Amino acid sequence: MNYFSTRGAGPVNLDEALRSGIADDGGLFLPEQLPAFSINDFDSAESILDVASILLQPFFEDSALCGELHQIVAETFSFPIPTTALDAAGKDVSLLELYHGPTAAFKDVGAGFLAACLSRLEGDVNSPVTILVATSGDTGGAVAAAFDRRPGMRVAVLYPDGRVSERQEQQLCCWSENVLSLKVSGAFDDCQAMVKAALADDELAEKHRFSSANSINIGRLLPQSIYYADASLQHFRRTGNKPGFIIPTGNLGNGFACLMAREMGLPIGPVILATNSNRTIADFFETLEWLPRASLQTLASAMDVGDPSNMERLRKLLGEAEVLRERIGVATVNDEEIRSAIREDFEEFGIATCPHTATATYTWRQLDPDLVDSHDWILVATAHPAKFETIVEPLIGSTIALPPELEAILSRPARAVSIEANLASLAHALSDVG
Ligand SMILES: *Cc1c(COP(=O)(O)O)cnc(C)c1O
C-alpha cells in the first residue's frame, strides 16, 4: 500500500511513513486508498488479535514488517479492551474501556504499536535510535512505557518542572535505563521548542539517530481503528445493530480512527465527537470556517487542543465542513458540565469516570431522545479515573481504587535529570547517558 501526504507528497511505503512521522511537505500521511471490508470478512475472527490481523493486512502490504504483523499485534493488544454494559434503565449503552494498558489511558495502544513497529525497523543495539518526546503529562508516559527495555531504542522525555501532577511525573520517571526523563525548568512550549530544535540540528540528529513518536504518526492511528472494529463487530453479532460511538476528542486521533473504521465497512452507526470548551471543531461545523486558536485549559486537560491536527486528515478523507457535519456529530462540554457528569455517572451507573470520559457520558445524556432510542450507544472511556483522582474523588465523595497497572508504576523508584530550557542543556544530557 502507498501512503501520501495530505498536502500531496509521496508516495512512500508504510515503513517510510512510520519512520518519518510527518511528511516532508509538512502534511500528514494517509493511505492512498482505504481497503473495503464486509462484515463477513471477519467471520473467522475470534479475538481482537484476529480482527487486527485481518484489518491491518492490506496496510502492511510491501512493508518489511508484513511477516511480523501477528507478533506486532500481539504485543500491542497485550491487555484487555472490554466493552461493559452500563445499568441505564433499559437503554442499551455501554462503555468501551480503553484504560487497561500500562499507563491506564488509550494512548498506550498507539504508542505500543508504534514501538513494536519502530523497534523492528530501526532498533540497533550498537547505535540506538533516540525517540524525543515533549509532554505536558499523558503522552510521554505512554511512549516511555511502550519503549521501556526495547533493545536499540532510547527515549528522552522532556516535561515542564512543576506543571505535571505527582502521579503523572512518576509515570514519566519510573522506567529503565533506556528511558531518560528530563525535567525542564520551563513550560511545555519550551519542551516542544527544544525537541524541534534538536530534530533540526543535523549534527545532533546524526549522533543520536533522532526519531519522534508524536501523535500524528500514522502508526498511532492504525491500531486505534482496531478496537472500534472489534467492539462494533461484537455488538453487531450479538444484536444485529450498528452501535453509535461517542468519543472524547482533542487532537482528533481517536475520533479519526473510528471514522476510518466506519469508512472501511465496519458496522458502526453514528459517530459523535465530544470536546471540552475548546470549540474549534464545533465552530467549524457551524460556521464552515476552520479557525484554529490557542487552547483553553479545562478539566479534561489531555483534550486541550485549539488546533486539532488530524482535521487535516479528516478533510482529505471525507470532505469539507458541509460534508463532515452531515456525517459526524459534535458536542462541546464545559467544565461545569464535566463535573455534573462525573457526579451523575457515579449516582446513576455506580462508576467513576475521568474528566475526559465524562464529556462522552454528558453528551449521551443530552442526546435527542429519538437518537437514544433508535441506536445502541458505546461511550468511549479514554483514561482510568484514578489518573485524575484530585478532580474525581471530591466530586463523588469516595476514593478510587488504583488499578494494578498504576499501582505498579507508583511503587517503582523514580529518577529525573533537571535541565535548563535550551538546546545546549538537552544536548549535554543526551550525551551524558548516551
Ligand atoms: C489524548 C487524550 C484524549 C484525546 O484524544 P485525541 O486522539 O487527541 O482526540 C482524550 N482523553 C484522554 C485521556 C487522552 O489522553
Side-chain angles (χ1 to χ4, degrees):
M1 165 125 27
N2 282 331
Y3 293 76
F4 280 92
S5 159
T6 45
R7 302 182 190 173
V12 299
N13 73 357
L14 179 64
D15 306 353
E16 188 54 37
L18 289 171
R19 278 196 194 100
S20 39
I22 192 157
D24 286 340
D25 61 359
L28 314 186
F29 286 114
L30 271 179
E32 181 169 22
Q33 196 182 7
L34 285 182
F37 291 96
S38 71
I39 292 167
N40 298 339
D41 292 334
F42 296 92
D43 281 351
S44 66
E46 289 177 359
S47 68
I48 193 168
L49 301 184
D50 298 339
V51 171
S53 293
I54 295 169
L55 194 78
L56 292 178
Q57 190 66 42
F59 292 97
F60 276 73
E61 262 169 34
D62 56 65
S63 158
L65 300 171
C66 195
E68 293 184 81
L69 179 55
H70 210 79
Q71 186 55 31
I72 290 169
V73 159
E75 279 174 28
T76 309
F77 295 98
S78 59
F79 47 86
I81 304 189
T83 306
T84 51
L86 293 172
D87 188 3
K91 302 191 180 91
D92 194 309
V93 58
S94 40
L95 202 65
L96 177 59
E97 298 178 9
L98 301 181
Y99 52 67
H100 296 288
T103 68
F106 85 92
K107 291 192 176 72
D108 285 326
V109 174
F113 184 82
L114 186 60
C117 292
L118 280 185
S119 59
R120 286 174 167 81
L121 285 173
E122 301 261 77
D124 175 355
V125 284
N126 296 315
S127 167
V129 166
T130 299
I131 308 279
L132 287 175
V133 50
T135 187
S136 54
D138 278 344
T139 305
V143 172
F147 285 93
D148 185 44
R149 293 169 192 273
R150 285 197 179 267
M153 305 298 289
R154 187 159 80 120
V155 180
V157 183
L158 288 75
Y159 68 94
D161 187 9
R163 312 216 189 167
V164 302
S165 76
E166 218 172 297
R167 281 190 186 174
Q168 276 176 334
E169 185 163 12
Q170 176 72 19
Q171 284 175 59
L172 300 172
C173 300
C174 71
W175 309 102
S176 314
E177 289 299 303
N178 74 324
V179 178
L180 178 60
S181 310
L182 299 173
K183 189 200 287 234
V184 176
S185 57
F188 169 63
D189 290 343
D190 297 314
C191 299
Q192 220 168 15
M194 288 160 74
V195 166
K196 272 197 184 147
L199 290 171
D201 184 309
D202 291 342
E203 200 181 317
L204 273 181
E206 191 175 333
K207 179 169 171 196
H208 297 293
R209 298 186 65 214
F210 286 144
S211 179
S212 83
N214 54 29
S215 64
I216 45 96
N217 194 305
I218 186 85
R220 302 232 333 222
L221 283 184
L222 292 177
Q224 290 174 184
S225 291
I226 306 299
Y227 45 71
Y228 292 109
D230 183 59
S232 67
L233 284 165
Q234 286 196 35
H235 189 90
F236 187 80
R237 283 178 187 159
R238 196 161 46 75
T239 65
N241 300 328
K242 297 182 176 185
F245 284 89
I246 305 180
I247 305 168
T249 294
N251 206 31
L252 194 49
N254 208 6
F256 183 83
C258 182
L259 292 161
M260 195 159 74
R262 188 171 74 176
E263 286 305 297
M264 289 190 277
L266 275 301
I268 293 171
V271 173
I272 300 176
L273 309 173
T275 73
N276 57 26
S277 292
N278 288 279
R279 298 187 45 93
T280 311
I281 300 174
D283 289 347
F284 182 45
F285 285 14
E286 218 169 283
T287 66
L288 308 181
E289 254 193 299
W290 181 243
L291 294 173
R293 59 202 77 161
S295 62
L296 301 172
Q297 270 191 15
T298 76
L299 291 174
S301 53
M303 294 158 45
D304 291 348
V305 182
D307 184 4
S309 33
N310 283 299
M311 183 56 83
E312 187 166 329
R313 281 197 170 106
L314 198 55
R315 293 164 85 171
K316 189 83 186 174
L317 184 71
L318 293 181
E320 288 304 317
E322 297 90 328
V323 179
L324 294 179
R325 66 182 183 183
E326 296 297 315
R327 308 188 54 188
I328 308 165
V330 62
T332 57
V333 182
N334 67 32
D335 276 357
E336 204 36 61
E337 292 163 342
I338 288 175
R339 286 194 194 92
S340 78
I342 291 173
R343 285 193 208 98
E344 261 187 277
D345 292 340
F346 195 67
E347 279 159 24
E348 186 181 356
F349 304 140
I351 57 165
T353 41
C354 90
H356 311 85
T357 306
T359 63
T361 59
Y362 184 87
T363 299
W364 176 75
R365 289 199 184 87
Q366 298 299 313
L367 284 184
D368 188 294
D370 287 346
L371 208 49
V372 174
D373 292 337
S374 58
H375 292 278
D376 304 338
W377 290 93
I378 297 180
L379 315 181
V380 177
T382 49
H384 194 284
K387 291 190 85 163
F388 303 93
E389 85 288 2
T390 54
I391 297 169
V392 180
E393 287 180 351
L395 290 170
I396 63 174
S398 133
T399 45
I400 304 163
L402 277 177
E405 321 53 77
L406 286 186
E407 208 168 340
I409 283 178
L410 295 179
S411 64
R412 284 189 205 158
R415 67 199 149 71
V417 176
S418 295
I419 64 170
E420 297 298 314
N422 58 54
L423 183 59
S425 307
L426 173 58
H428 182 75
L430 287 170
S431 299
D432 253 12
V433 204

